[in-house]
Amino acid sequence: MPILTIRGLNKFWDTAHVVRDLELETREGEFIALLGPSGCGKSTTLRLIAGLEEASSGEILLDGRDIAALPSAKRGISMVFQSYALFPHLTVGENITFGLSVRGESRKVQAEKLARVAPLLGLQALLDRRPSQLSGGQQQRVALGRALIAESPICLLDEPLSNLDASLRAEMRNEIRSLQRRLGITMIFVTHDQTEAMSMADRVALLREGRIEQFDTPEMLYSRPASTFVARFIGAPAMNVIEAAVFDACGMNVPRSSLVGLRPEDLYPVERGLPGRVVQIEYFGADSILSVDLGVTQCAVRLQGRPSTEIGTTLHLGWDADAFHLFDAETGLRQDITVPQPKWTELQPA
Amino acid sequence: MKVSRNFIISMFLLFPAAVLLIAFTFYPTVATLIDSFFSTPRGRRPAAFVGLGNFERMAADPVFHRAFFNNLIYAAVTIPVSMGLALAMALLVNSRIKGRGFVRLAYFTPTILPMIAVANIWMFFYAPDYGLIDQFLGLFGLGGTNWLGQSGTALWALIAITIWKLAGFFMIFYLAALQQIPPSLLEAATLEGANYLQRLRRVVLPLLMPTTLFILINAVIEAFRLVDHVIALTRGGPNNSTQLLLHYIYQVAFNFWDTAYAAALSVVLLSILALIALIQFGFLDKRIHYR
């Protein structure tokens, strides 16, 4: 059963159309990532759901009731801000129970709920400290605690990990994910980091210029990108998007109205395949990224370890049939037509 | 002993400021304290040590009592009212209203004007019958009040001028502090269910506390320091109803040339201010959260 449904959501800033006809549906207990480059409207979308901005048009249904016109406090939504937005003059405990306190809950109830939430986040020993005496990770936990104590059905997180250093980020990634699973709350989080989105989310909504480009599981986003934009956004390095004419060189007849998508990790050297000249090799230890010049364009190839190939040599590239993606050259949308693939196995040395 | 080069240079650099401070602050303070225990020198009679004589005289001086009491009322009204107004105005001009820039400027204008000019403007407001206030009240048949000329209203008329002058000045500090509060804090409070008054009481005011202490100290000093309008408008009258401590000191020293008594009065004023400052820092500072 969907817990949050967004229909036809639009937001204008003066004349700028920042959220365009957004449609989104999340099930209970799902972990959703809003992913996209900066300026794609993902943070605005989150603020529209929270009620911190007013939608220009559209419906936001939470558990079946339309909350789009309600003030943010009445929506039953909690939020973790990018800067954590902790009250500097209050202790950790007071910060977490702030919402309960302004809503007039008794001190007894506040203390009980605090005693339940604090251990979840390992904050028991820090309750009397002030935010300025905490590390970034601890502040993050306090912000989470304040969001969780209200027991709202949905928790929004705005770039929750962007203020942490790399090692802490990995730790908090796991922690937030396991907390979400354990408590079974629905979480929607905004990020511009595809690794965060891919590794944490059940489903990822990839936004571009205020529209959802694709809303799917990380696996589908990776293996069946809906457009060249998705193909280029997911994966590091990004999927190679190559003109059809290039494939004449290996005897393939690709329709000229199409673009071909091939992931760097799906390409491997064969004896006779798509020829190209190696122009650069970047060695990363476990793998290397080769830049191969295909004539009109370059493509990236990921190979295990350090390849024996040297710069300037010609490399023949092959791929498996299911690694071959086709997109419309005009619209950039995925095409589900099959093109007969060469048989690399016959060409490979015995 | 070898004196380091750095020491010589640092002394040299401190010298100009030290000379100014000693000549115009520390020496006069100490001299005033010493003078307060002596009699006023006259012609052929030099100053003689009189111990606490000047202070005993003060205890029996009805004008001093009046000035002290007036100053208490003056401070007790101008400080909270001007600070409250300043906060209200700052909250107003910090919100999204039309003509925000104009309103900010309008509120700040009294601060830019010299107090003497302000006093002259208000003299026309307060003038009986043809003054602005009486002309307005005349529409309702209430004219003919000599606001500055009768003991019942004169002090309050001066209090109104002071509040008008100071509120805009204090507003600037509050406005600057309000703009330092990250909007996300208020958004978080809103999301947690706090209404406007709860946000104000639980988030905004505590975060403004350092500014409030700063303004409070300034307001106390102003309440005892600002007497330009007394000199320009009433000279302490009628019947000492607008007599304030500093103005009384000025009169005793430069109208009556009783410098020893004026020194004793100054010592009392200084002690009052020092005591208030100590209380403010001692009590409030511990309760304030500094970012």
Side-chain angles (χ1 to χ4, degrees), chain B residues 64-276:
Chain B
F64 170 73
H65 291 167
R66 189 65 203 254
F68 186 80
F69 183 65
N70 280 347
N71 226 149
L72 281 186
I73 296 177
Y74 185 75
V77 178
T78 55
I79 294 169
V81 175
S82 60
M83 287 177 70
L85 264 180
L87 179 62
M89 295 192 306
L91 287 170
L92 180 70
V93 298
N94 194 40
S95 57
R96 289 184 206 162
I97 53 163
K98 272 187 186 163
R100 183 163 67 161
F102 176 76
V103 179
R104 282 183 190 178
L105 182 67
Y107 284 165
F108 192 60
T109 307
T111 307
I112 309 168
L113 302 174
M115 194 59 175
I116 295 293
V118 166
N120 279 293
I121 297 170
W122 281 83
M123 187 139 73
F124 288 110
F125 290 175
Y126 284 141
D129 295 326
Y130 62 84
L132 187 72
I133 295 171
D134 254 17
Q135 282 203 16
F136 177 74
L137 290 176
L139 298 176
F140 308 97
L142 294 167
T145 315
N146 188 356
W147 297 98
L148 291 167
Q150 54 192 38
S151 359
T153 53
L155 185 63
W156 298 100
L158 293 186
I159 285 173
I161 298 175
T162 312
I163 291 169
W164 179 80
K165 175 115 172 94
L166 290 181
F169 182 51
F170 297 153
M171 175 198 78
I172 293 296
F173 297 109
Y174 271 135
L175 185 58
L178 280 174
Q179 290 178 344
Q180 294 297 311
I181 298 178
S184 64
L185 282 188
L186 299 175
E187 286 176 352
T190 309
L191 207 73
E192 294 289 326
N195 59 32
Y196 181 79
L197 285 178
Q198 286 173 320
R199 288 200 296 276
L200 191 63
R201 196 170 65 81
R202 289 170 170 256
V203 182
V204 175
L205 291 184
L207 292 178
L208 288 181
M209 270 313 277
T211 311
T212 303
L213 176 65
F214 172 78
I215 295 176
L216 181 63
I217 289 167
N218 266 286
V220 168
I221 293 169
E222 290 294 316
F224 288 92
R225 190 191 67 91
L226 204 62
V227 292
D228 312 29
H229 53 333
V230 179
I231 295 171
L233 294 176
T234 64
R235 294 180 189 275
N239 192 22
N240 283 321
S241 63
T242 57
Q243 190 66 273
L244 298 179
L245 277 180
L246 190 62
H247 182 254
Y248 186 47
I249 294 171
Y250 169 80
Q251 274 192 332
V252 170
F254 300 109
N255 291 350
F256 313 150
W257 285 107
D258 192 350
T259 49
Y261 188 41
L265 287 167
S266 300
V267 169
V268 169
L269 179 58
L270 212 61
S271 314
I272 294 172
L273 288 178
L275 187 72
I276 293 171

Side-chain angles (χ1 to χ4, degrees), chain A residues 16 26 55 62 122 131 141 169 309 312:
Chain A
T26 70
L62 178 62
R141 280 170 227 258
R169 202 176 297 174
T309 328

Side-chain angles (χ1 to χ4, degrees), chain B residues 28-86:
Chain B
T29 310
V30 175
T32 303
L33 187 63
I34 293 167
D35 284 352
S36 69
F37 297 109
F38 286 82
S39 65
T40 305
R42 308 261 181 214
R44 276 162 292 167
R45 187 157 45 92
F49 183 76
V50 293
L52 291 173
N54 287 321
F55 295 95
E56 281 160 13
R57 182 178 150 201
M58 203 185 303
D61 180 359
V63 182
F64 170 73
H65 291 167
R66 189 65 203 254
F68 186 80
F69 183 65
N70 280 347
N71 226 149
L72 281 186
I73 296 177
Y74 185 75
V77 178
T78 55
I79 294 169
V81 175
S82 60
M83 287 177 70
L85 264 180

